[in-house]
Amino acid sequence: MSILKQGQVVDGYTVEYLIKANTYCETYRVADADGQPFFLKLFIIKNMPEKLMTEDDKVKEIEHCKTLTHQNIISYITSGMLMIPEGVCHYMVTVYFSGELLAEKIEREGAMPVDEAKRIITGVLNALKYMHEQGYQHNDITPRNIMLTASTNREPELIDMGHVAQITSGLTTFDTSDLEVQYCANQTFAGWYDDATDLFSVVAVLYTMLTGHGPWPIDTTLPRRDAIREIKKLRTQELDLSDVPEEMRGIISRGLSTDNDERYKSASQLLHDLDSPDKVEPAQEKPSNEGVASRHRDGRDEEDGSTSVSVEVKKGKGQGFKDIAGMDDMKDMLNKRVIFILRDKELAQKYRLTPPNGMLLYGPPGCGKSFFAEKFAEETGFNFMLVKASDLGSVYIHGTQGKIAELFKKAAKNAPTVICFDEFDAFVPDRSEDLGNHHSGEVNEFLSQMNNCSERGIFVIATSNRPDKIDPAVLRTGRIDKMVYVPLPDQVARREMLKIHLKGRPCEELDYEKLATLSEGYVASDITYVVNEAAMIAAFNGTEITQELMETTIKGIKPSVKGDTLKIYDNIRDRMEGNERRNSLPKVGFATD
């Protein structure tokens, strides 16, 4: 039984019939005085989950729709409140759209031509670009939430705004139970939603349009927790691009990469690449199970009994910290507290200093944590291994555990070695989060391998955007001895980054100090993108890179890390520094210096 009845009038709109309903929301078709159709969405406040309401008891979806006006987003008309026997209800009226869902078109016709897919996805991206500039993410881009509207020449329209939020880190402010995991980036499973995760979903939808099927086929009847586990396992394998038109494979490979650094960070980047998709290079990552013809159930090769780990060992050559712009305090601290002990074993023995096992570099995305780790290895003269979660993935029982052991064995063989685990929270998630047994086994294997690994000539550097998601046992001293917050680049660092990236390009004389000031709040990846964008415009016009061009480019590109995100990281930093202080307290029964 619906709450509103046929013929009932709400704010001048006559109810025609109920379209759909759940426990806290009902959607109706209504008509105005002239008989024109509209949608009316009714929210039953007593049944509303608390997270879907604002602090002053307003419905978040209504408040978001009031502020978001764009031709590719469903249009808000009016809203209000009703007092009815069921209690207080809020309602929202939006423009009525006719046409078909993108999902229905794909189901009926299958794969669509490249030009048509690009046209539709461009409309979606224009809507997202607008939303992101307003500080919002959509968080639920799927073929079922894109309407091809008949009244506007089948232009795409985002029709479900129920998951819209500002950047979400850890505690989601919307219901996640109805999200389709096939279109969700892995970070969202840990509660992280931002511009980049929206763009991952867009590319997953593009893949579906180009092939007629989703990128990772799973059983849609699985409970959400099981579906997440299944999709994570599938994503450790190489993505099948055989059905994707060749000219679009670079975009799909990059957009759905398991490497966050390869993926799209802004709608502008993806829109730019859609103009010339055939020029986009595929993501540079290796499949996690390549070159293995036959394996035992524990992931070992039949032929030699070892676990295959295809992680390159880079020899310790390079300029080290000289290649890093700014961060002088951080470099000085590491030289005095860590590097001199690693370099000089005799001095360490003389003063009975225990070589450190490892450190955690954490902070906002795009600040160059992995780059810093490589330069740290060069500074110490150690060899370097960069390890991503996909490198250790395995579809075999206990296969990942075997790869972890083999990885440390390989590092010891090439000692002294720095092992950098990129996005460490993906390797060692908190076991209290009810993980599967195989995940707990993998965390336990890391704990075992990281115990006193310095004795084998190994120094571990873990990087993470979400250190609060790492299992606490991994972060105790004796495994991770130092936690270092990597902040946004300061004025000096931004100035030097700009100089480095512009060096050797045709430029007029530039005011780097002013450019550094204008780019306040930009991370390293933002500055790289700004310089490349300006260089591309200059190249197209056959001119030098001018001060005016640089300033215009900076003003046209928003920082990828927003103010709300920085507040989140301030809180994370406070918690992590508190943990480090507790770890460093003297232990009862042990002598201390």
Side-chain angles (χ1 to χ4, degrees):
M1 292 289 292
S2 63
I3 291 178
L4 300 182
K5 307 304 178 187
Q6 185 176 8
Q8 186 173 345
V9 178
V10 177
D11 199 8
Y13 295 90
T14 302
V15 176
E16 294 188 337
Y17 54 82
L18 176 71
I19 296 175
K20 63 179 181 179
N22 60 30
T23 56
Y24 60 83
C25 180
E26 296 182 353
T27 302
Y28 299 84
R29 173 172 160 144
V30 298
D32 66 5
D34 297 325
Q36 294 298 312
F38 293 85
F39 285 113
L40 185 147
K41 201 166 187 178
L42 188 73
F43 299 90
I44 308 156
I45 299 304
K46 69 177 182 180
N47 296 339
M48 289 283 288
E50 186 177 347
K51 64 168 62 177
L52 304 185
M53 303 291 292
T54 66
E55 292 181 359
D56 53 353
D57 296 325
K58 295 179 180 178
V59 178
K60 287 182 178 178
E61 183 175 351
I62 295 177
E63 297 308 301
H64 293 151
C65 287
K66 282 181 180 179
T67 62
L68 296 172
T69 55
H70 189 275
Q71 64 179 3
N72 297 111
I73 297 176
I74 186 173
S75 299
Y76 167 91
I77 300 297
T78 189
S79 59
M81 185 175 68
L82 292 177
M83 289 295 296
I84 54 179
E86 288 80 4
V88 176
C89 292
H90 292 196
Y91 66 87
M92 173 176 64
V93 178
T94 63
V95 167
Y96 186 83
F97 44 77
S98 61
E100 68 175 337
L101 295 176
L102 177 59
E104 295 170 343
K105 176 179 173 62
I106 295 171
E107 186 176 348
R108 185 182 71 253
E109 300 178 3
M112 63 180 63
V114 169
D115 286 346
E116 186 177 10
K118 285 170 60 178
R119 180 185 66 80
I120 292 171
I121 218 68
T122 295
V124 173
L125 283 169
N126 285 331
L128 279 181
K129 182 180 178 183
Y130 164 77
M131 288 184 67
H132 294 170
E133 288 171 350
Q134 308 306 308
Y136 292 103
Q137 286 77 42
H138 186 276
N139 302 318
D140 191 20
I141 302 293
T142 75
R144 297 199 172 278
N145 286 334
I146 299 170
M147 172 67 74
L148 305 178
T149 309
S151 60
T152 56
N153 194 30
R154 299 182 67 78
E155 274 292 306
E157 226 176 316
L158 298 180
I159 60 170
D160 188 343
M161 309 300 283
H163 300 83
V164 171
Q166 294 179 314
I167 192 166
T168 302
S169 170
L171 297 175
T172 52
T173 57
F174 48 86
D175 184 13
T176 62
S177 62
D178 59 343
L179 295 177
E180 294 185 54
V181 299
Q182 192 169 182
Y183 296 97
C184 294
N186 281 0
Q187 298 98 305
T188 66
F189 305 141
W192 183 275
Y193 296 79
D194 60 12
D195 295 0
T197 57
D198 264 354
L199 297 170
F200 178 94
S201 301
V202 169
V203 179
V205 170
L206 178 59
Y207 179 104
T208 305
M209 286 192 286
L210 294 171
T211 64
H213 56 81
W216 296 279
I218 61 169
D219 182 356
T220 56
T221 64
L222 287 173
R224 178 172 170 80
R225 184 179 294 275
D226 294 337
I228 288 173
R229 289 173 180 163
E230 182 66 20
I231 208 77
K232 283 184 174 180
K233 184 169 70 174
L234 288 172
R235 287 175 182 170
T236 64
Q237 305 170 51
E238 187 174 9
L239 179 65
D240 181 10
L241 298 177
S242 58
D243 291 342
V244 177
E246 189 170 353
E247 67 182 281
M248 299 296 290
R249 289 179 184 175
I251 285 179
I252 298 296
S253 172
R254 181 179 176 188
L256 300 181
S257 171
T258 56
D259 182 350
N260 285 347
D261 291 336
E262 291 279 357
R263 294 216 307 264
Y264 291 101
K265 301 298 191 300
S266 74
S268 296
Q269 287 178 305
L270 184 46
L271 284 165
H272 175 272
D273 282 0
L274 282 169
D275 283 341
S276 304
D278 54 320
K279 296 180 180 178
V280 181
E281 293 293 328
Q284 298 300 309
E285 54 188 344
K286 299 175 183 177
S288 58
N289 295 310
E290 63 184 354
V292 180
S294 177
R295 295 187 177 211
H296 291 291
R297 284 169 60 82
D298 63 359
R300 291 181 291 114
D301 290 347
E302 293 277 8
E303 184 176 343
D304 61 9
S306 66
T307 308
S308 174
V309 180
S310 54
V311 177
E312 179 186 2
V313 180
K314 295 180 69 174
K315 299 302 179 182
K317 298 178 181 179
Q319 298 191 84
F321 285 168
K322 292 180 181 178
D323 289 337
I324 298 176
M327 295 188 178
D328 292 337
D329 290 343
M330 182 173 165
K331 290 184 285 190
D332 185 59
M333 180 274 293
L334 290 173
N335 269 312
K336 292 178 178 177
R337 301 290 298 276
V338 178
I339 292 176
F340 89 96
I341 302 175
L342 293 174
R343 278 177 172 168
D344 196 333
K345 287 188 176 180
E346 291 184 6
L347 186 66
Q349 289 175 353
K350 180 178 178 179
Y351 285 88
R352 297 185 181 180
L353 297 172
T354 303
N357 275 281
M359 68 177 174
L360 172 70
L361 302 178
Y362 68 96
C367 290
K369 294 182 286 292
S370 299
F371 178 74
F372 192 98
E374 183 174 359
K375 295 304 165 182
F376 178 95
E378 292 176 3
E379 190 73 14
T380 58
F382 282 25
N383 294 322
F384 180 72
M385 299 173 72
L386 177 62
V387 188
K388 300 179 185 297
S390 58
D391 294 322
L392 300 183
S394 175
V395 296
Y396 301 94
I397 297 173
H398 307 310
T400 295
Q401 289 174 247
K403 284 190 170 188
I404 294 166
E406 183 64 22
L407 177 76
F408 278 86
K409 182 178 178 181
K410 186 174 183 179
K413 185 178 179 180
N414 291 277
T417 304
V418 169
I419 307 178
C420 176
F421 292 102
D422 194 29
E423 295 186 69
F424 198 45
D425 46 292
F427 293 93
V428 285
D430 191 340
R431 287 169 293 178
S432 67
E433 297 294 327
D434 190 26
L435 302 170
N437 289 333
H438 64 291
H439 284 294
S440 295
E442 291 160 14
V443 174
N444 288 334
E445 184 66 36
F446 264 106
L447 294 177
S448 174
Q449 293 294 336
M450 290 177 67
N451 277 332
N452 303 315
C453 61
S454 63
E455 296 174 3
R456 290 172 281 162
I458 300 170
F459 184 77
V460 170
I461 298 181
T463 74
S464 178
N465 300 332
R466 290 304 310 273
D468 51 323
K469 297 293 182 181
I470 296 173
D471 193 277
V474 182
L475 297 178
R476 74 159 177 79
T477 50
R479 293 182 181 124
I480 295 293
D481 299 301
K482 195 74 183 169
M483 300 184 204
V484 181
Y485 181 72
V486 182
L488 269 63
D490 59 17
Q491 174 86 2
V492 174
R494 294 194 302 275
R495 184 189 66 211
E496 296 307 311
M497 285 179 188
L498 287 161
K499 287 182 179 179
I500 289 170
H501 288 301
L502 286 161
K503 185 179 180 180
R505 303 188 197 233
C507 300
E508 69 172 27
E509 188 173 343
L510 299 174
D511 184 348
Y512 288 101
E513 201 66 42
K514 183 177 181 182
L515 295 177
T517 300
L518 288 173
S519 58
E520 183 177 2
Y522 286 57
V523 297
S525 57
D526 293 335
I527 290 173
T528 301
Y529 182 67
V530 164
V531 172
N532 287 338
E533 188 75 4
M536 189 173 299
I537 294 169
F540 183 81
N541 293 312
T543 63
E544 289 186 324
I545 301 172
T546 64
Q547 180 76 16
E548 181 183 5
L549 175 57
M550 285 296 299
E551 291 183 15
T552 302
T553 305
I554 290 171
K555 291 173 183 176
I557 296 173
K558 301 289 184 182
S560 57
V561 179
K562 298 180 175 66
D564 289 343
T565 309
L566 293 179
K567 292 178 183 177
I568 291 169
Y569 277 101
D570 285 340
N571 293 331
I572 290 175
R573 183 180 187 180
D574 289 342
R575 293 200 299 273
M576 297 303 294
E577 289 182 350
N579 289 340
E580 186 170 26
R581 284 193 295 272
R582 286 193 291 274
N583 278 341
S584 65
L585 290 175
K587 307 297 188 291
V588 175
F590 290 84
T592 60
D593 294 335

